[in-house]
Amino acid sequence: QVQLVESGGGLVQPGGSLRLSCAASGFTFSSYYMSWVRQAPGKGLEWVSGISMGGSITHYADSVKGRFTISRDNAKNTLYLQMNSLKPEDTALYSCARGGRSTITAQGQGTQVTVSS
């Protein structure tokens, strides 16, 4: 079955960096547009970033543009999110998802990112 397993979250100070990873299995990873989404406490799900099947086209929410970088390694069936210049408002549960902003068909359990001094 489809499995998406995130890792790399943690506690970081404002201005710091983290790199999230998502290991995918149970489907042909290279055939799908992939996304990162997040959910902050008490808020709804927010789409953060997406990447095309081959990795050449990327999209970002305005809130993270210029700070986050999405990438993928199709040989390793792995999705990444490099997060720089982190802000307290980036605190959330981050999940990887199969599909785009409005076409998500599978989502992982998530990894917690907390930005605090």
Side-chain angles (χ1 to χ4, degrees):
Q1 74 277 21
V2 174
Q3 281 197 313
L4 298 167
V5 180
E6 302 88 346
S7 61
L11 173 64
V12 62
Q13 292 187 339
S17 298
L18 281 174
R19 188 193 195 205
L20 306 184
S21 299
C22 171
S25 61
F27 66 102
T28 305
F29 179 72
S30 60
S31 296
Y32 287 86
Y33 185 99
M34 297 294 294
S35 294
W36 284 98
V37 297
R38 67 186 181 184
Q39 187 159 21
K43 296 189 176 181
L45 193 66
E46 178 188 13
W47 177 86
V48 173
S49 181
I51 188 166
S52 62
M53 291 179 284
S56 61
I57 301 172
T58 57
H59 302 99
Y60 298 94
D62 288 344
S63 58
V64 306
K65 200 171 293 182
R67 300 187 298 121
F68 290 11
T69 302
I70 190 171
S71 61
R72 66 192 296 164
D73 186 336
N74 285 342
K76 295 182 178 180
N77 289 347
T78 303
L79 181 71
Y80 303 99
L81 186 68
Q82 177 67 44
M83 305 186 296
N84 299 329
S85 303
L86 283 161
K87 305 175 181 180
E89 51 264 43
D90 293 319
T91 294
L93 183 69
Y94 285 72
S95 302
C96 66
R98 187 178 71 177
R101 189 191 304 248
S102 56
T103 58
I104 291 173
T105 55
Q107 184 176 332
Q109 293 295 308
T111 185
Q112 179 67 38
V113 171
T114 302
V115 184
S116 175
S117 55

